[in-house]
Coordinates of all heavy atoms in Angstrom, one line a residue:
M1 N 58.2 112.4 92.4 CA 59.5 111.8 92.9 C 60.2 112.9 93.7 O 60.3 114.0 93.3 CB 60.3 111.5 91.6 CG 61.6 110.8 92.0 SD 62.7 110.4 90.5 CE 61.7 109.2 89.6
T2 N 60.6 112.5 94.9 CA 61.3 113.4 95.8 C 62.7 113.8 95.2 O 63.2 113.1 94.3 CB 61.5 112.8 97.2 OG1 62.4 111.7 97.1 CG2 60.1 112.4 97.7
T3 N 63.3 114.8 95.8 CA 64.6 115.3 95.3 C 65.7 114.2 95.5 O 66.5 114.0 94.7 CB 64.9 116.6 96.0 OG1 63.9 117.5 95.9 CG2 66.2 117.1 95.5
V4 N 65.6 113.6 96.7 CA 66.6 112.5 97.0 C 66.5 111.4 96.0 O 67.5 110.9 95.5 CB 66.5 112.1 98.4 CG1 67.4 110.9 98.7 CG2 66.7 113.2 99.4
A5 N 65.3 110.9 95.7 CA 65.1 109.8 94.8 C 65.5 110.2 93.4 O 66.2 109.4 92.7 CB 63.7 109.4 94.8
W6 N 65.3 111.5 93.0 CA 65.7 111.9 91.7 C 67.2 112.0 91.6 O 67.7 111.5 90.6 CB 65.1 113.3 91.5 CG 65.4 113.9 90.1 CD1 64.8 113.6 88.9 CD2 66.5 114.8 89.8 NE1 65.3 114.3 87.9 CE2 66.4 115.0 88.4 CE3 67.5 115.4 90.5 CZ2 67.3 115.8 87.7 CZ3 68.3 116.2 89.9 CH2 68.3 116.4 88.5
V7 N 67.9 112.5 92.6 CA 69.3 112.6 92.6 C 69.9 111.2 92.6 O 70.9 110.9 91.8 CB 69.9 113.4 93.8 CG1 71.4 113.2 93.9 CG2 69.5 114.8 93.6
L8 N 69.4 110.3 93.3 CA 69.8 108.9 93.4 C 69.6 108.2 92.0 O 70.5 107.5 91.5 CB 69.1 108.1 94.5 CG 69.6 106.7 94.7 CD1 71.1 106.7 95.1 CD2 68.8 106.0 95.8
H9 N 68.5 108.4 91.4 CA 68.2 107.9 90.1 C 69.2 108.4 89.1 O 69.7 107.6 88.3 CB 66.8 108.3 89.7 CG 66.3 107.8 88.4 ND1 66.1 106.5 88.1 CD2 66.2 108.5 87.2 CE1 65.8 106.4 86.8 NE2 65.8 107.6 86.3
R10 N 69.5 109.7 89.1 CA 70.4 110.2 88.1 C 71.9 109.7 88.4 O 72.6 109.4 87.5 CB 70.4 111.7 88.2 CG 69.2 112.4 87.7 CD 69.0 112.1 86.3 NE 67.7 112.7 85.8 CZ 67.3 112.7 84.6 NH1 68.0 112.1 83.7 NH2 66.1 113.2 84.3
A11 N 72.2 109.6 89.7 CA 73.6 109.1 90.0 C 73.8 107.7 89.6 O 74.8 107.3 89.0 CB 73.8 109.3 91.5
I12 N 72.8 106.8 89.8 CA 72.9 105.4 89.4 C 73.0 105.3 87.9 O 73.8 104.6 87.3 CB 71.7 104.6 89.9 CG1 71.9 104.4 91.4 CG2 71.6 103.2 89.3 CD1 70.7 103.8 92.1
G13 N 72.2 106.1 87.2 CA 72.2 106.2 85.7 C 73.6 106.6 85.2 O 74.2 106.0 84.3
L14 N 74.2 107.6 85.8 CA 75.5 108.1 85.4 C 76.6 107.1 85.7 O 77.4 106.8 84.8 CB 75.8 109.4 86.2 CG 77.1 110.1 85.8 CD1 77.2 110.4 84.3 CD2 77.4 111.3 86.7
L15 N 76.5 106.4 86.8 CA 77.5 105.3 87.1 C 77.4 104.2 86.1 O 78.4 103.6 85.7 CB 77.3 104.9 88.5 CG 77.8 105.9 89.6 CD1 77.5 105.3 91.0 CD2 79.3 106.2 89.5
A16 N 76.1 103.8 85.8 CA 75.9 102.8 84.8 C 76.5 103.1 83.4 O 77.1 102.3 82.8 CB 74.4 102.4 84.7
V17 N 76.3 104.4 83.0 CA 76.8 104.8 81.7 C 78.4 104.8 81.8 O 79.0 104.3 80.8 CB 76.3 106.2 81.4 CG1 77.1 106.8 80.2 CG2 74.9 106.2 81.1
I18 N 79.0 105.2 82.8 CA 80.4 105.2 82.9 C 81.0 103.8 82.9 O 81.9 103.4 82.2 CB 80.9 105.9 84.2 CG1 80.6 107.4 84.1 CG2 82.4 105.7 84.5 CD1 80.8 108.2 85.4
F19 N 80.3 102.9 83.6 CA 80.7 101.5 83.7 C 80.6 100.8 82.3 O 81.5 100.2 81.8 CB 79.9 100.7 84.7 CG 80.1 99.2 84.7 CD1 81.3 98.7 85.3 CD2 79.2 98.3 84.1 CE1 81.6 97.4 85.3 CE2 79.5 97.0 84.1 CZ 80.7 96.5 84.7
L20 N 79.5 101.1 81.6 CA 79.3 100.5 80.3 C 80.3 101.0 79.3 O 80.8 100.3 78.4 CB 77.8 100.7 79.8 CG 77.4 100.1 78.5 CD1 77.6 98.6 78.6 CD2 76.0 100.5 78.1
T21 N 80.6 102.3 79.4 CA 81.6 102.9 78.5 C 82.9 102.3 78.7 O 83.6 101.9 77.7 CB 81.7 104.4 78.8 OG1 80.4 105.0 78.5 CG2 82.7 105.1 77.9
L22 N 83.3 102.0 79.9 CA 84.6 101.4 80.2 C 84.6 100.0 79.7 O 85.6 99.5 79.2 CB 84.9 101.5 81.7 CG 85.3 102.9 82.2 CD1 85.5 102.8 83.7 CD2 86.6 103.4 81.5
V23 N 83.5 99.2 79.9 CA 83.5 97.9 79.4 C 83.6 97.8 77.8 O 84.4 97.0 77.3 CB 82.2 97.2 79.8 CG1 81.9 95.9 79.1 CG2 82.2 96.9 81.3
L24 N 82.8 98.7 77.2 CA 82.9 98.7 75.7 C 84.3 99.2 75.2 O 84.8 98.6 74.2 CB 81.8 99.6 75.1 CG 80.4 99.1 75.2 CD1 79.4 100.2 74.8 CD2 80.2 97.8 74.5
L25 N 84.9 100.1 75.9 CA 86.2 100.6 75.5 C 87.3 99.4 75.8 O 88.2 99.2 75.0 CB 86.6 101.8 76.3 CG 88.0 102.4 76.0 CD1 88.0 102.9 74.6 CD2 88.2 103.6 76.9
Y26 N 87.1 98.7 76.9 CA 88.0 97.6 77.2 C 88.0 96.5 76.1 O 89.0 95.9 75.8 CB 87.6 97.0 78.5 CG 88.4 95.7 78.8 CD1 89.7 95.8 79.2 CD2 87.8 94.5 78.7 CE1 90.4 94.7 79.5 CE2 88.5 93.3 79.0 CZ 89.8 93.4 79.4 OH 90.5 92.3 79.7
L27 N 86.8 96.3 75.5 CA 86.7 95.3 74.5 C 87.2 95.7 73.2 O 87.5 94.9 72.3 CB 85.2 94.9 74.3 CG 84.6 94.2 75.5 CD1 83.1 93.9 75.3 CD2 85.2 92.9 75.9
L28 N 87.4 97.0 73.0 CA 87.9 97.5 71.7 C 89.4 97.5 71.7 O 90.1 97.5 72.7 CB 87.4 99.0 71.6 CG 87.6 99.7 70.3 CD1 87.0 99.0 69.1 CD2 87.1 101.1 70.3
R29 N 90.0 97.7 70.5 CA 91.5 97.6 70.4 C 92.1 98.9 70.9 O 93.3 99.0 71.1 CB 91.8 97.4 69.0 CG 91.5 98.6 68.1 CD 92.0 98.5 66.7 NE 91.2 97.5 66.0 CZ 91.4 97.2 64.7 NH1 92.3 97.7 64.0 NH2 90.6 96.4 64.1
F30 N 91.4 100.0 71.2 CA 91.9 101.2 71.6 C 92.1 101.4 73.1 O 92.3 102.5 73.6 CB 91.1 102.4 71.0 CG 91.1 102.3 69.5 CD1 89.9 102.1 68.9 CD2 92.2 102.5 68.8 CE1 89.8 102.1 67.5 CE2 92.2 102.4 67.4 CZ 91.0 102.2 66.8
W31 N 92.0 100.3 73.9 CA 92.2 100.3 75.3 C 93.7 100.6 75.5 O 94.5 99.9 75.1 CB 91.8 98.9 75.9 CG 92.1 98.8 77.3 CD1 93.1 98.2 78.0 CD2 91.2 99.2 78.4 NE1 93.0 98.2 79.3 CE2 91.8 98.9 79.6 CE3 90.0 99.9 78.4 CZ2 91.2 99.1 80.8 CZ3 89.4 100.2 79.7 CH2 90.0 99.8 80.8
I32 N 94.0 101.7 76.2 CA 95.4 102.1 76.3 C 96.0 101.9 77.7 O 97.2 102.1 77.9 CB 95.5 103.6 76.0 CG1 94.6 104.5 76.9 CG2 95.1 103.9 74.5 CD1 94.8 106.0 76.7
W33 N 95.2 101.4 78.7 CA 95.7 101.2 80.0 C 95.9 99.7 80.2 O 95.3 98.9 79.6 CB 94.7 101.7 81.0 CG 94.4 103.1 80.8 CD1 95.1 104.2 81.1 CD2 93.2 103.6 80.2 NE1 94.5 105.4 80.8 CE2 93.3 105.0 80.2 CE3 92.1 103.1 79.6 CZ2 92.3 105.9 79.7 CZ3 91.1 103.9 79.1 CH2 91.2 105.2 79.1
V34 N 96.7 99.4 81.2 CA 96.8 98.0 81.6 C 96.0 97.9 82.8 O 96.1 98.6 83.8 CB 98.3 97.6 82.0 CG1 98.4 96.2 82.5 CG2 99.2 97.7 80.7
A35 N 95.1 96.9 82.8 CA 94.1 96.8 83.9 C 94.8 96.3 85.2 O 96.0 95.8 85.1 CB 93.1 95.7 83.5
P36 N 94.3 96.6 86.3 CA 94.9 96.3 87.6 C 95.0 94.8 88.0 O 95.4 94.5 89.2 CB 94.1 97.1 88.6 CG 92.8 97.2 88.0 CD 93.0 97.2 86.6
W37 N 94.7 93.9 87.1 CA 94.9 92.5 87.5 C 96.0 91.9 86.7 O 96.5 92.4 85.7 CB 93.6 91.7 87.3 CG 93.0 91.8 85.9 CD1 93.3 91.0 84.8 CD2 91.9 92.7 85.5 NE1 92.5 91.4 83.8 CE2 91.7 92.4 84.2 CE3 91.2 93.7 86.1 CZ2 90.7 93.2 83.4 CZ3 90.3 94.4 85.4 CH2 90.1 94.1 84.1
G38 N 96.5 90.7 87.1 CA 97.7 90.1 86.5 C 97.4 89.5 85.2 O 96.3 89.4 84.7
P39 N 98.5 88.9 84.5 CA 98.3 88.3 83.2 C 97.5 87.0 83.2 O 97.1 86.5 82.2 CB 99.8 88.1 82.8 CG 100.6 88.1 84.0 CD 99.8 89.0 85.0
E40 N 97.2 86.5 84.4 CA 96.4 85.3 84.5 C 94.9 85.6 84.3 O 94.1 84.7 84.1 CB 96.6 84.6 85.8 CG 96.0 85.3 87.0 CD 97.0 86.4 87.6 OE1 98.1 86.5 87.1 OE2 96.5 87.1 88.5
G41 N 94.6 86.9 84.2 CA 93.2 87.3 83.9 C 92.4 87.6 85.1 O 92.8 87.3 86.2
L42 N 91.4 88.3 84.9 CA 90.5 88.8 86.0 C 89.9 87.5 86.7 O 89.2 86.7 86.0 CB 89.4 89.7 85.6 CG 88.4 90.2 86.6 CD1 89.1 91.0 87.7 CD2 87.3 91.0 86.0
L43 N 90.0 87.4 88.0 CA 89.5 86.2 88.7 C 90.0 84.9 88.1 O 89.3 83.9 88.2 CB 88.0 86.3 88.8 CG 87.4 87.5 89.4 CD1 85.9 87.5 89.3 CD2 87.8 87.7 90.8
G44 N 91.2 84.9 87.5 CA 91.7 83.7 87.0 C 91.2 83.3 85.6 O 91.5 82.2 85.1
I45 N 90.4 84.2 85.0 CA 89.8 83.9 83.7 C 90.7 84.5 82.6 O 90.8 85.7 82.5 CB 88.4 84.5 83.6 CG1 87.5 84.0 84.7 CG2 87.7 84.2 82.2 CD1 86.1 84.7 84.8
K46 N 91.4 83.6 81.9 CA 92.4 84.1 80.9 C 91.8 84.9 79.8 O 92.4 85.7 79.2 CB 93.1 82.9 80.3 CG 94.0 82.2 81.3 CD 94.9 81.2 80.6 CE 96.1 81.9 80.0 NZ 97.2 81.1 79.6
Q47 N 90.5 84.7 79.5 CA 89.8 85.4 78.4 C 89.7 86.9 78.8 O 89.4 87.7 77.9 CB 88.4 84.9 78.1 CG 88.5 83.5 77.4 CD 88.7 82.4 78.4 OE1 88.7 82.5 79.6 NE2 89.0 81.2 77.8
I48 N 89.8 87.3 80.0 CA 89.7 88.7 80.4 C 91.1 89.2 80.8 O 91.5 89.4 82.0 CB 88.7 88.8 81.6 CG1 87.4 88.2 81.3 CG2 88.5 90.3 81.9 CD1 86.4 88.2 82.4
S49 N 91.9 89.4 79.8 CA 93.3 89.8 80.0 C 93.4 91.3 80.4 O 92.5 92.1 80.1 CB 94.1 89.6 78.7 OG 93.8 90.6 77.8
P50 N 94.5 91.7 81.0 CA 94.6 93.1 81.4 C 94.9 94.0 80.3 O 95.0 95.2 80.5 CB 95.8 93.0 82.4 CG 96.6 91.9 82.0 CD 95.6 90.9 81.5
W51 N 95.1 93.5 79.1 CA 95.5 94.4 78.0 C 94.4 94.8 77.1 O 94.6 95.5 76.1 CB 96.6 93.7 77.2 CG 97.8 93.5 78.0 CD1 98.7 94.4 78.5 CD2 98.2 92.3 78.6 NE1 99.7 93.9 79.3 CE2 99.4 92.5 79.4 CE3 97.7 91.0 78.6 CZ2 100.0 91.6 80.1 CZ3 98.4 90.0 79.3 CH2 99.5 90.3 80.1
G52 N 93.2 94.4 77.4 CA 92.0 94.7 76.6 C 92.0 94.1 75.2 O 92.6 93.0 75.0
D53 N 91.3 94.7 74.3 CA 91.2 94.2 72.9 C 90.7 92.7 72.9 O 91.2 91.9 72.1 CB 92.6 94.3 72.2 CG 92.5 94.1 70.7 OD1 91.3 94.2 70.2 OD2 93.5 93.9 70.0
N54 N 89.7 92.5 73.7 CA 89.2 91.1 73.8 C 88.5 90.6 72.5 O 88.5 89.4 72.2 CB 88.3 91.0 75.0 CG 89.0 90.8 76.3 OD1 90.2 91.1 76.3 ND2 88.4 90.4 77.3
V55 N 87.8 91.5 71.8 CA 87.1 91.1 70.6 C 88.1 90.4 69.6 O 87.8 89.4 69.1 CB 86.3 92.2 70.0 CG1 85.7 91.8 68.7 CG2 85.2 92.7 71.0
R56 N 89.2 91.1 69.4 CA 90.2 90.5 68.4 C 90.7 89.2 69.0 O 90.9 88.3 68.2 CB 91.3 91.5 68.2 CG 92.2 91.0 67.1 CD 93.4 91.9 66.9 NE 93.0 93.3 66.7 CZ 93.8 94.2 66.4 NH1 95.1 94.0 66.2 NH2 93.4 95.4 66.2
W57 N 90.9 89.1 70.3 CA 91.5 87.9 70.9 C 90.4 86.8 70.7 O 90.8 85.6 70.4 CB 91.8 88.1 72.3 CG 92.6 87.0 72.9 CD1 94.0 86.8 72.8 CD2 92.1 86.0 73.8 NE1 94.3 85.7 73.5 CE2 93.2 85.2 74.1 CE3 90.9 85.7 74.3 CZ2 93.1 84.1 74.9 CZ3 90.7 84.6 75.1 CH2 91.8 83.8 75.4
W58 N 89.2 87.1 71.0 CA 88.1 86.1 70.9 C 87.9 85.6 69.4 O 87.5 84.4 69.2 CB 86.8 86.6 71.4 CG 86.8 86.8 72.9 CD1 87.5 86.2 73.8 CD2 86.0 87.8 73.6 NE1 87.3 86.7 75.1 CE2 86.3 87.7 74.9 CE3 85.0 88.7 73.1 CZ2 85.7 88.5 75.9 CZ3 84.4 89.5 74.1 CH2 84.8 89.4 75.5
L59 N 88.2 86.4 68.4 CA 88.0 86.1 67.0 C 89.2 85.6 66.3 O 89.1 85.2 65.2 CB 87.5 87.3 66.3 CG 86.1 87.9 66.7 CD1 85.8 89.1 65.9 CD2 85.0 86.8 66.4
R60 N 90.3 85.5 67.0 CA 91.6 85.0 66.4 C 91.4 83.6 65.8 O 90.7 82.8 66.4 CB 92.7 85.1 67.3 CG 92.7 84.0 68.4 CD 93.8 84.2 69.4 NE 93.9 83.0 70.3 CZ 93.1 82.8 71.3 NH1 92.1 83.5 71.5 NH2 93.3 81.7 72.1
G61 N 91.9 83.4 64.7 CA 91.8 82.1 64.1 C 90.5 81.8 63.3 O 90.3 80.8 62.8
T62 N 89.6 82.8 63.3 CA 88.4 82.6 62.6 C 88.4 83.5 61.4 O 89.3 84.4 61.2 CB 87.1 83.0 63.5 OG1 87.2 84.4 63.7 CG2 87.1 82.2 64.8
G63 N 87.4 83.3 60.5 CA 87.3 84.2 59.3 C 87.0 85.6 59.7 O 87.2 86.5 58.9
L64 N 86.4 85.9 60.9 CA 86.0 87.2 61.3 C 87.2 88.0 61.9 O 87.0 89.1 62.3 CB 84.8 87.1 62.2 CG 83.5 86.6 61.6 CD1 82.5 86.5 62.7 CD2 83.1 87.5 60.5
G65 N 88.3 87.3 62.1 CA 89.4 88.0 62.8 C 89.8 89.3 62.2 O 90.2 90.2 62.9
E66 N 89.8 89.4 60.9 CA 90.2 90.6 60.2 C 89.1 91.7 60.4 O 89.5 92.9 60.2 CB 90.3 90.4 58.7 CG 91.4 89.4 58.3 CD 91.4 89.2 56.8 OE1 91.0 90.2 56.1 OE2 91.7 88.1 56.4
F67 N 87.9 91.4 60.8 CA 86.9 92.4 60.9 C 86.5 92.6 62.4 O 85.3 92.8 62.7 CB 85.6 91.9 60.1 CG 86.0 91.6 58.7 CD1 86.1 90.3 58.2 CD2 86.2 92.6 57.8 CE1 86.4 90.0 56.9 CE2 86.5 92.4 56.5 CZ 86.6 91.1 56.0
A68 N 87.4 92.5 63.2 CA 87.1 92.6 64.7 C 86.5 94.0 65.0 O 85.6 94.0 65.8 CB 88.4 92.5 65.5
I69 N 86.9 95.1 64.4 CA 86.3 96.4 64.7 C 84.8 96.4 64.2 O 84.0 97.0 64.9 CB 87.1 97.5 64.0 CG1 86.7 98.9 64.6 CG2 87.1 97.5 62.5 CD1 87.2 99.2 65.9
V70 N 84.5 95.8 63.1 CA 83.1 95.7 62.6 C 82.3 94.9 63.5 O 81.2 95.3 63.9 CB 83.1 95.2 61.2 CG1 81.7 95.1 60.7 CG2 83.9 96.1 60.2
V71 N 82.8 93.7 63.9 CA 82.1 92.9 64.9 C 81.9 93.6 66.2 O 80.8 93.6 66.8 CB 82.9 91.5 65.1 CG1 82.3 90.7 66.2 CG2 82.9 90.8 63.8
W72 N 82.9 94.3 66.7 CA 82.8 95.1 67.9 C 81.7 96.1 67.8 O 80.8 96.3 68.6 CB 84.1 95.8 68.3 CG 83.9 96.6 69.5 CD1 84.1 96.2 70.8 CD2 83.6 98.0 69.6 NE1 83.9 97.2 71.7 CE2 83.6 98.3 71.0 CE3 83.2 98.9 68.7 CZ2 83.2 99.6 71.4 CZ3 82.9 100.2 69.1 CH2 82.9 100.5 70.5
G73 N 81.7 96.9 66.6 CA 80.7 97.9 66.4 C 79.3 97.4 66.4 O 78.3 97.9 67.0
C74 N 79.1 96.3 65.6 CA 77.7 95.7 65.6 C 77.3 95.1 66.9 O 76.2 95.3 67.3 CB 77.7 94.5 64.5 SG 77.9 95.1 62.8
G75 N 78.2 94.5 67.6 CA 77.9 93.9 68.9 C 77.6 95.0 69.9 O 76.7 94.9 70.7
A76 N 78.3 96.2 69.8 CA 78.0 97.3 70.7 C 76.6 97.9 70.5 O 75.9 98.2 71.4 CB 79.1 98.4 70.6
I77 N 76.3 98.0 69.2 CA 75.0 98.5 68.9 C 73.9 97.6 69.3 O 72.8 98.0 69.9 CB 74.9 98.8 67.4 CG1 75.7 100.0 67.0 CG2 73.4 99.0 66.9 CD1 75.9 100.2 65.5
I78 N 74.1 96.3 69.1 CA 73.1 95.3 69.6 C 73.0 95.3 71.1 O 71.9 95.3 71.7 CB 73.4 93.9 69.1 CG1 73.2 93.9 67.6 CG2 72.6 92.8 69.8 CD1 73.8 92.6 66.9
A79 N 74.1 95.3 71.8 CA 74.1 95.4 73.3 C 73.4 96.6 73.8 O 72.6 96.5 74.7 CB 75.5 95.3 73.8
L80 N 73.7 97.8 73.2 CA 73.0 99.0 73.7 C 71.5 99.0 73.4 O 70.7 99.5 74.2 CB 73.7 100.2 73.0 CG 75.1 100.5 73.5 CD1 75.7 101.6 72.6 CD2 75.2 100.9 74.9
S81 N 71.2 98.4 72.3 CA 69.7 98.3 71.9 C 69.0 97.4 72.9 O 67.9 97.7 73.3 CB 69.6 97.8 70.5 OG 70.1 98.6 69.6
I82 N 69.6 96.3 73.3 CA 69.0 95.4 74.3 C 68.9 96.0 75.6 O 67.9 96.0 76.3 CB 69.8 94.1 74.4 CG1 69.7 93.3 73.1 CG2 69.4 93.2 75.6 CD1 70.6 92.1 72.9
I83 N 70.0 96.8 76.0 CA 69.9 97.5 77.3 C 68.8 98.5 77.3 O 68.1 98.7 78.3 CB 71.3 98.1 77.6 CG1 72.3 97.0 77.9 CG2 71.2 99.0 78.8 CD1 73.7 97.4 78.0
Q84 N 68.7 99.3 76.2 CA 67.6 100.3 76.1 C 66.3 99.6 76.2 O 65.4 100.2 76.8 CB 67.8 101.1 74.8 CG 67.0 102.3 74.7 CD 65.6 102.1 74.2 OE1 65.4 101.2 73.4 NE2 64.6 102.9 74.7
W85 N 66.1 98.5 75.5 CA 64.8 97.8 75.5 C 64.5 97.4 76.9 O 63.3 97.5 77.4 CB 64.8 96.7 74.5 CG 63.6 95.9 74.5 CD1 62.4 96.2 73.9 CD2 63.3 94.6 75.2 NE1 61.4 95.3 74.1 CE2 62.0 94.3 74.9 CE3 64.1 93.8 76.0 CZ2 61.4 93.1 75.4 CZ3 63.5 92.6 76.4 CH2 62.2 92.3 76.1
I86 N 65.4 96.8 77.6 CA 65.2 96.3 79.0 C 64.9 97.5 79.9 O 63.9 97.4 80.7 CB 66.4 95.5 79.5 CG1 66.5 94.2 78.7 CG2 66.3 95.3 81.0 CD1 67.8 93.4 79.0
T87 N 65.6 98.5 79.8 CA 65.4 99.7 80.7 C 64.0 100.3 80.4 O 63.4 100.9 81.3 CB 66.5 100.7 80.7 OG1 66.7 101.1 79.3 CG2 67.8 100.1 81.2
S88 N 63.6 100.3 79.2 CA 62.3 100.9 78.9 C 61.2 100.1 79.5 O 60.1 100.7 79.7 CB 62.1 101.0 77.3 OG 62.0 99.8 76.8
K89 N 61.4 98.8 79.8 CA 60.4 98.0 80.4 C 60.2 98.4 81.9 O 59.2 98.2 82.5 CB 60.7 96.5 80.3 CG 60.7 96.0 78.8 CD 59.4 96.1 78.2 CE 59.4 95.6 76.8 NZ 58.2 95.9 76.1
F90 N 61.3 98.8 82.5 CA 61.3 99.1 83.9 C 61.1 100.6 84.3 O 60.5 100.9 85.3 CB 62.6 98.7 84.6 CG 62.8 97.2 84.6 CD1 63.7 96.6 83.7 CD2 62.0 96.4 85.5 CE1 63.8 95.2 83.7 CE2 62.2 95.0 85.4 CZ 63.1 94.4 84.6
V91 N 61.5 101.5 83.4 CA 61.4 102.9 83.7 C 60.3 103.5 82.8 O 60.3 103.4 81.6 CB 62.7 103.6 83.4 CG1 62.6 105.1 83.6 CG2 63.9 103.0 84.2
K92 N 59.3 104.0 83.5 CA 58.2 104.6 82.8 C 58.1 106.1 83.2 O 58.3 106.5 84.2 CB 56.9 103.9 83.2 CG 56.8 102.5 82.7 CD 56.5 102.4 81.3 CE 56.5 101.0 80.9 NZ 56.3 100.7 79.5

């Protein structure tokens, strides 16, 4: 692997990790910033509010509403496991 390809590979990996971290943080209740889109939601999708904490919002009114942090943790572990499995198929 050439030096340019290696640097590009590492840069893409780093950007993917930063993006995934922000997405997981956004879904958690500890999102402390207001996102740069309006209250109508990202691209007009109300489920993607600018205030984060989407897991609790998605679970409201269900029996799992009280356990939003546990659902988020389990979902994050499952999502990361799936992403690791997929990337292991492509990267050798």
Side-chain angles (χ1 to χ4, degrees):
M1 185 181 297
T2 65
T3 305
V4 174
W6 182 82
V7 170
L8 185 61
H9 177 72
R10 294 292 179 182
I12 290 172
L14 181 61
L15 290 175
V17 167
I18 291 170
F19 175 75
L20 184 61
T21 301
L22 289 175
V23 167
L24 290 175
L25 183 63
Y26 172 76
L27 295 175
L28 186 60
R29 71 174 74 178
F30 302 115
W31 179 258
I32 60 173
W33 306 281
V34 175
W37 53 85
E40 69 279 352
L42 179 63
L43 303 174
I45 303 170
K46 289 188 86 165
Q47 289 80 7
I48 307 176
S49 76
W51 299 286
D53 196 15
N54 281 17
V55 173
R56 187 183 306 185
W57 191 80
W58 293 333
L59 294 175
R60 74 186 188 285
T62 68
L64 294 174
E66 297 178 31
F67 306 104
I69 191 80
V70 175
V71 171
W72 179 89
C74 293
I77 290 170
I78 291 169
L80 291 173
S81 297
I82 291 169
I83 291 170
Q84 192 274 329
W85 179 78
I86 290 171
T87 56
S88 71
K89 298 294 182 191
F90 292 106
V91 178
K92 295 281 179 182

